[in-house]
Amino acid sequence: MKAAILFESLTGHTRTAGELIASNLQQEGWGITGVSPVRKPEMASIQDADMIIIGTWVHGLFVVGQAPWGLGAIAGLPAMQGKLAATFCTFALNPAKTLDKLDGAVSQLGAEVIGGLALHRSKLAAHSEEFAARLIANVPVRA
Ligand SMILES: Cc1cc2nc3c(=O)[nH]c(=O)nc-3n(C[C@H](O)[C@H](O)[C@H](O)COP(=O)(O)O)c2cc1C
């Protein structure tokens, strides 16, 4: 499986998570076509990938109003028909329904979203490993 990773990151946690996810997947034999920012995506990495992994961070008032940051930029990504996708977000306290909203935005690009995970910013290594393991376990076998 070949995956492209796209991240939206203000202070670096989501970028770090994307890089950790990439190395975890590589250790399991996946190819990584690129790890790039949502706002400056490596187009070839998207084109060459079977799976697009998109991550952003939770923005809100910590107990209410949580949402994925950068939905406008995500909506501006190229169409992803025929590709699988998985999502993640990093958060500090409570992600609430951030992943559902992110999944909705990625589905609008035409990708088939198979799931996602919220990663606590203070447990990025462990949660990135968990994300990669779940992704590998849940990726549908294609004919
Ligand atoms: C303005 C602002 C609002 C935030 N709101 C929330 C929130 O509502 N809930 C939460 O769990 N984390 C919230 N956070 C924490 C970020 O989601 C968390 O630090 C995230 O890992 C940042 O990712 P980044 O380092 O890639 O920018 C907020 C951070 C900022 C700067």
Side-chain angles (χ1 to χ4, degrees), residues 32-100:
I32 301 298
T33 60
V35 181
S36 61
V38 163
R39 290 169 202 272
K40 216 178 162 196
E42 286 169 11
M43 294 301 180
S45 79
I46 297 172
Q47 223 161 23
D48 293 347
D50 318 296
M51 159 86 61
I52 316 293
I53 299 170
I54 301 184
T56 186
W57 55 280
V58 176
H59 178 272
L61 299 174
F62 289 89
V63 283
V64 291
Q66 294 97 328
W69 186 254
L71 278 183
I74 290 165
L77 286 168
M80 294 176 185
Q81 263 87 11
K83 299 195 187 282
L84 297 171
T87 59
F88 68 96
C89 64
T90 68
F91 70 100
L93 191 65
N94 176 6
K97 300 217 181 294
T98 297
L99 275 184
D100 290 344

Side-chain angles (χ1 to χ4, degrees), residues 61-139:
L61 299 174
F62 289 89
V63 283
V64 291
Q66 294 97 328
W69 186 254
L71 278 183
I74 290 165
L77 286 168
M80 294 176 185
Q81 263 87 11
K83 299 195 187 282
L84 297 171
T87 59
F88 68 96
C89 64
T90 68
F91 70 100
L93 191 65
N94 176 6
K97 300 217 181 294
T98 297
L99 275 184
D100 290 344
K101 294 173 188 170
L102 181 55
D103 288 357
V106 176
S107 297
Q108 288 292 313
L109 297 169
E112 182 190 338
V113 181
I114 65 164
L117 192 66
L119 319 182
H120 196 285
R121 71 177 183 190
S122 71
K123 296 177 186 154
L124 287 184
H127 287 180
S128 297
E129 199 178 325
E130 176 75 25
F131 177 91
R134 285 201 204 178
L135 190 56
I136 290 164
N138 285 295
V139 90

